[in-house]
Amino acid sequence: MEMIDIGANLAHDSFDADRDAVLQRAAAAGVAQIVVTGSSEESTRRAIELASVHAGVLFATAGIHPHHAADLTVDALPALQALAADSRVVAVGECGLDYFRDFSPRDLQRRAFAWQLELAARTGKPVFLHQRDAHEDFIAMLREHRVTRGVAHCFTAGERERDEYLALGLHIGITGWINDERRGLHLREVVKGIPANRLLIETDAPYLLPRDIAPKPKTRRNEPAYLPYVVRAIAHERGESAESVAGASTAAARQLFGLPAP
Ligand SMILES: [Zn+2]
């Protein structure tokens, strides 16, 4: 079974002590390639550095998460533009709107999001999207900017949101949220209606540790080696084999992000 983790925050400092071991465990588990999420200027730089050290295996996104939207000032924009143009960067983001936490003022979130949608259009790269409790503004901006290529990462919403993203041409990223029997139940229904060639898989490590890992890991830190748990949960709901979910999502990820087969 060959898989691509399309969203792992491997630049996160929780991986500083043992990042190479994490990558080895991922490879041993069948995770052939990983898209390392950039969510600030600093983490984007680190993601690109990792992608250059592990060329062909790790790839980067370049973006400013809505939590950090206030950091993306007019003065900070040229640096992000330069990072987004890097050949190891396969998507612009993580960008979007988060009205659940509201860590940045909403008007600044919308400004940062709009700039990044423009940047994606200019670079020709797909967008790596984050949305929480902001669907109406979010979909309106995607439509206004005529976004057709990207992934709604860590999708946790319902059928209406799913169908609106699919209608734009977007892919849907499913995380270990689906393994959570307390809050992932509706997602188990929603995942049945995603076409196989639009379904991507991700750990969002170090977050969202799948709850059904056995034996339970010693820490709460998630890592790409646990991606098979997400695949099996998806496969179970869709009545498919894990191999078919893995195979289709790998092909879809390679196509969307333009990844070479290793
Ligand atoms: Zn996110």
Side-chain angles (χ1 to χ4, degrees):
M1 194 156 94
E2 183 189 35
M3 290 159 285
I4 298 178
D5 188 345
I6 66 105
N9 301 276
L10 291 182
H12 194 273
D13 55 16
S14 65
F15 294 112
D16 284 352
D18 64 344
R19 199 171 274 106
D20 284 337
V22 167
L23 292 177
Q24 280 168 20
R25 286 195 290 273
V31 181
Q33 290 166 316
I34 301 170
V35 178
V36 181
T37 319
S39 54
S40 63
E41 188 182 319
E42 178 57 28
S43 68
T44 294
R45 285 188 200 285
R46 271 183 279 148
I48 293 173
E49 201 177 296
L50 287 170
S52 72
V53 174
H54 303 276
V57 177
L58 301 185
F59 301 86
T61 74
I64 310 295
H65 192 284
H67 291 347
H68 309 302
D71 295 343
L72 190 57
T73 58
V74 175
D75 292 342
L77 201 49
L80 182 63
Q81 287 168 340
L83 293 170
D86 191 285
S87 63
R88 290 151 296 198
V89 168
V90 297
V92 173
E94 172 166 5
C95 61
L97 301 174
D98 192 315
Y99 295 173
F100 178 68
R101 300 245 188 239
D102 275 330
F103 284 159
S104 279
R106 292 181 182 183
D107 57 330
L108 295 186
Q109 290 193 38
R110 288 189 291 267
R111 183 180 75 167
F113 187 31
W115 280 343
Q116 292 177 86
L117 293 178
E118 287 165 19
L119 184 53
R122 218 174 313 141
T123 58
K125 293 179 182 180
V127 278
F128 191 94
L129 299 162
H130 172 104
Q131 186 276 119
R132 204 148 171 218
D133 284 3
H135 178 72
E136 299 311 327
D137 283 359
F138 182 77
I139 193 85
M141 290 183 68
L142 292 175
R143 285 180 180 140
E144 183 192 328
H145 288 265
R146 302 182 189 285
V147 174
T148 57
R149 285 175 62 234
V151 56
H153 126 88
C154 192
F155 184 86
T156 57
E159 294 182 356
R160 184 172 68 91
E161 291 87 343
R162 174 199 66 197
D163 293 342
E164 292 188 355
Y165 299 159
L166 288 173
L168 290 181
L170 298 179
H171 290 64
I172 309 269
I174 299 293
T175 61
W177 194 282
I178 196 170
N179 302 65
D180 190 332
E181 76 286 354
R182 301 164 308 172
R183 57 182 189 177
L185 287 179
H186 78 282
L187 198 54
R188 296 180 183 183
E189 280 306 310
V190 170
V191 81
K192 293 177 191 169
I194 305 173
N197 63 354
R198 298 279 199 92
L199 200 168
L200 303 180
I201 53 176
E202 50 175 332
T203 56
D204 205 23
Y207 315 111
L208 298 178
L209 182 72
R211 278 175 56 83
D212 56 351
I213 296 177
K216 277 243 175 296
K218 286 187 285 290
T219 74
R220 299 279 311 143
R221 187 188 71 173
N222 194 8
E223 60 175 75
Y226 297 137
L227 192 58
Y229 286 90
V230 178
V231 172
R232 284 193 286 268
I234 294 170
H236 178 78
E237 296 312 319
R238 291 168 64 91
E240 285 179 49
S241 68
E243 286 73 16
S244 104
V245 170
S249 67
T250 294
R254 290 215 170 108
Q255 199 201 11
L256 177 65
F257 297 117
L259 308 185

